[in-house]
Amino acid sequence: MIAFEKISIVGVGLIGGSVGLALKHKRLCPMVVGIGRRRSSLDKALKMSAVDKVTLNLAEGVKGAGLIIVATPAAKVKEKIAQVSRYAGKGAIIIDVNSAKQDIMRAVTGIMPKGVHFVATHPMAGSENSGISWARGDLFHGSVCIITPDRFTNKEALKKVKNFWQALGTRVFLMSAKAHDEAVARVSHLPHALAYVLCDMVSRKELIMAGSGFRDATRIAKSDPGMWEEIFIQNRKSVLKAISLFEKGLCSIKNDMIREDRPGLSAMLKRAVRKRESID
């Protein structure tokens, strides 16, 4: 099924590059164009066959594209969507892959030219590593992609975008931007914050004793700090609510230990185990 004759990817890093590889492996689009700021990254994407063509020129790259994917770092995504919208042709669909949706949708409201459609998306797939070198054609297989339409979202564009992410192997769910941001704050943004804090609170001498448990719990603390600084700020309201919820849970387990309340402690631990096992 080929829905778009040309797809342009702005930002060919881990996510953008993986989209390109998946498109080419599945033969879903005859022309995939990579657009970026560094020739070295674009050349790497071309060598990996993640794209068919590359360019540093944004206007040239998006010309004639039916779908334009903005996969730039979080700090640049709003600015880049605005730039892309000025060059996109009539009927083009622009999507993002940013993990905070309310902030993006507020910025995009009212700036789309007539006939150009924006659909907010968030593929819940990634890695603690970044860059085109880590891109994989199967990154999205079996993962979840959230789409957050609002009353301005074009229904036909929404349908095409949903089909696009399903073709890449994701399970697509629709929800409001607010519901998305609150849920993602708990299942993604808070865990990253905790991983960073855990690493920061341990001394270098103590790290010598760090075993697999500490490494598993802090793997995501290797993620790009600049990217996560921006995500924490963009979704700060929801992340702060998640932190408060975590503090409440931490106080509960602390009090159970102070009181030596074994039944209370055991009930929480068993409940957590059941939830963790349900996602394996």
Side-chain angles (χ1 to χ4, degrees), residues 127-155:
S127 165
E128 70 275 15
N129 301 303
S130 59
I132 183 62
S133 297
W134 297 96
R136 296 180 3 230
D138 64 349
L139 183 69
F140 306 105
H141 183 73
S143 67
V144 167
C145 181
I146 308 297
I147 301 179
T148 60
D150 62 11
R151 62 191 179 92
F152 300 108
T153 305
N154 178 273
K155 288 183 172 56

Side-chain angles (χ1 to χ4, degrees), residues 14-89:
L14 170 67
I15 300 298
S18 295
V19 168
L21 285 170
L23 287 170
K24 300 317 295 180
H25 288 173
K26 294 173 178 286
R27 299 181 180 180
L28 294 174
C29 181
M31 175 57 67
V32 179
V33 178
I35 306 165
R37 294 181 297 115
R38 291 193 300 272
R39 173 59 66 177
S40 58
S41 296
L42 292 175
D43 288 344
K44 178 75 172 177
L46 198 57
K47 188 176 181 181
M48 291 172 63
S49 298
V51 293
D52 300 297
K53 182 182 176 183
V54 297
T55 180
L56 298 170
N57 188 304
L58 185 63
E60 176 189 315
V62 303
K63 185 178 180 182
L67 180 68
I68 304 164
I69 304 162
V70 178
T72 58
K76 296 286 185 182
V77 66
K78 289 181 285 187
E79 171 193 344
K80 200 57 68 176
I81 290 171
Q83 291 175 354
V84 165
S85 70
R86 293 196 288 270
Y87 300 122

Side-chain angles (χ1 to χ4, degrees), residues 16-255:
S18 295
V19 168
L21 285 170
L23 287 170
K24 300 317 295 180
H25 288 173
K26 294 173 178 286
R27 299 181 180 180
L28 294 174
C29 181
M31 175 57 67
V32 179
V33 178
I35 306 165
R37 294 181 297 115
R38 291 193 300 272
R39 173 59 66 177
S40 58
S41 296
L42 292 175
D43 288 344
K44 178 75 172 177
L46 198 57
K47 188 176 181 181
M48 291 172 63
S49 298
V51 293
D52 300 297
K53 182 182 176 183
V54 297
T55 180
L56 298 170
N57 188 304
L58 185 63
E60 176 189 315
V62 303
K63 185 178 180 182
L67 180 68
I68 304 164
I69 304 162
V70 178
T72 58
K76 296 286 185 182
V77 66
K78 289 181 285 187
E79 171 193 344
K80 200 57 68 176
I81 290 171
Q83 291 175 354
V84 165
S85 70
R86 293 196 288 270
Y87 300 122
K90 191 172 183 180
I93 301 170
I94 302 171
I95 67 173
D96 74 314
V97 295
N98 202 56
S99 69
K101 303 281 39 128
Q102 290 180 96
D103 188 59
I104 297 299
M105 294 182 76
R106 278 192 297 266
V108 170
T109 299
I111 70 168
M112 287 295 120
K114 188 175 181 180
V116 176
H117 310 295
F118 176 75
V119 181
T121 78
H122 179 203
M124 300 286 290
S127 165
E128 70 275 15
N129 301 303
S130 59
I132 183 62
S133 297
W134 297 96
R136 296 180 3 230
D138 64 349
L139 183 69
F140 306 105
H141 183 73
S143 67
V144 167
C145 181
I146 308 297
I147 301 179
T148 60
D150 62 11
R151 62 191 179 92
F152 300 108
T153 305
N154 178 273
K155 288 183 172 56
E156 187 60 31
L158 175 61
K159 182 180 177 182
K160 288 181 179 179
V161 171
K162 182 179 178 181
N163 290 340
F164 166 79
W165 282 116
Q166 287 176 331
L168 263 57
T170 74
R171 292 175 291 138
V172 176
F173 296 94
L174 273 61
M175 63 176 65
S176 72
K178 185 176 186 292
H180 166 276
D181 286 359
E182 291 185 351
V184 171
R186 291 190 288 270
V187 301
S188 175
H189 300 173
L190 176 64
H192 277 82
L194 297 179
Y196 284 120
V197 171
L198 277 171
C199 282
D200 192 46
M201 66 177 276
V202 175
S203 71
R204 291 191 177 275
K205 285 185 179 180
E206 290 169 328
L207 283 174
I208 296 170
M209 297 181 287
S212 59
F214 186 86
R215 288 196 295 271
D216 289 347
T218 60
R219 174 185 58 80
I220 51 178
K222 295 189 291 181
S223 302
D224 177 35
M227 178 181 76
W228 278 96
E229 174 190 330
E230 185 65 26
I231 289 171
F232 290 148
I233 295 300
Q234 284 186 6
N235 199 27
R236 60 190 176 278
K237 271 190 173 181
S238 296
V239 176
L240 288 170
K241 283 176 66 176
I243 288 173
S244 295
L245 189 64
F246 181 78
E247 287 173 337
K248 184 179 177 182
L250 202 58
C251 282
S252 178
I253 193 172
K254 177 182 176 181
N255 290 332

Side-chain angles (χ1 to χ4, degrees), residues 252-269:
S252 178
I253 193 172
K254 177 182 176 181
N255 290 332
D256 285 344
M257 288 189 287
I258 290 171
R259 297 191 300 263
E260 295 187 33
D261 180 1
R262 289 179 178 273
L265 187 60
S266 177
M268 188 282 292
L269 295 175

